């Protein structure tokens, strides 16, 4: 019997939280402008609880709640991970 590990490609990620619109990376802004991600309650003065919706090409949607991570894979695929799963699967790359 052999032991294996998951090969995880590098990903880009942003956490759903208040103020995320002020410090978002360019890829996130591009996805929002393209209509693939919509969000509410993320501004510093917003009254709503922060949340986002990922709009998939199939027409389906994925909801992201406050604290969740939106991940964009090298392929361009978007996914949402809860904080505990995200922390178990990914580690920050120091550049």
């Amino acid at each position: 019997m052999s032991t294996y590990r998951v090969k995880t490609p590098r990903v880009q990620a942003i956490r759903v939280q208040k103020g995320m619109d002020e410090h978002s990376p360019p890829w996130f802004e591009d996805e929002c402008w393209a209509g693939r991600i919509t969000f509410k309650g993320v501004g510093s003065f917003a009254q709503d609880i922060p949340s986002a919706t990922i709009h998939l090409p199939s027409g389906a949607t994925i909801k992201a709640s406050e604290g969740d991570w939106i991940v964009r894979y090298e392929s361009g695929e978007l996914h949402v991970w809860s904080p505990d799963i995200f922390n178990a699967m990914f580690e920050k790359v120091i550049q």
Side-chain angles (χ1 to χ4, degrees), residues 4 8 10 13 35:
Y4 296 87
T8 304
R10 289 183 182 223

Side-chain angles (χ1 to χ4, degrees), residues 37-55:
I37 299 175
T38 55
F39 57 88
K40 68 176 186 175
V42 298
S44 298
F45 301 104
Q47 299 298 314
D48 294 327
I49 295 172
S51 65
T53 303
I54 309 299
H55 303 275

Side-chain angles (χ1 to χ4, degrees), residues 25-36 72:
W27 70 264
F28 181 78
E29 294 175 12
D30 292 345
E31 296 291 348
C32 292
W33 281 107
R36 290 185 288 269
R72 186 172 80 167

Side-chain angles (χ1 to χ4, degrees), residues 35-36 53-63:
R36 290 185 288 269
T53 303
I54 309 299
H55 303 275
L56 302 175
S58 65
T61 58
I62 303 172
K63 301 289 185 183

Side-chain angles (χ1 to χ4, degrees), residues 62-82:
I62 303 172
K63 301 289 185 183
S65 301
E66 184 174 22
D68 287 346
W69 287 87
I70 298 173
V71 173
R72 186 172 80 167
Y73 291 90
E74 290 177 339
S75 66
E77 179 184 350
L78 297 169
H79 198 82
V80 175
W81 296 107
S82 64

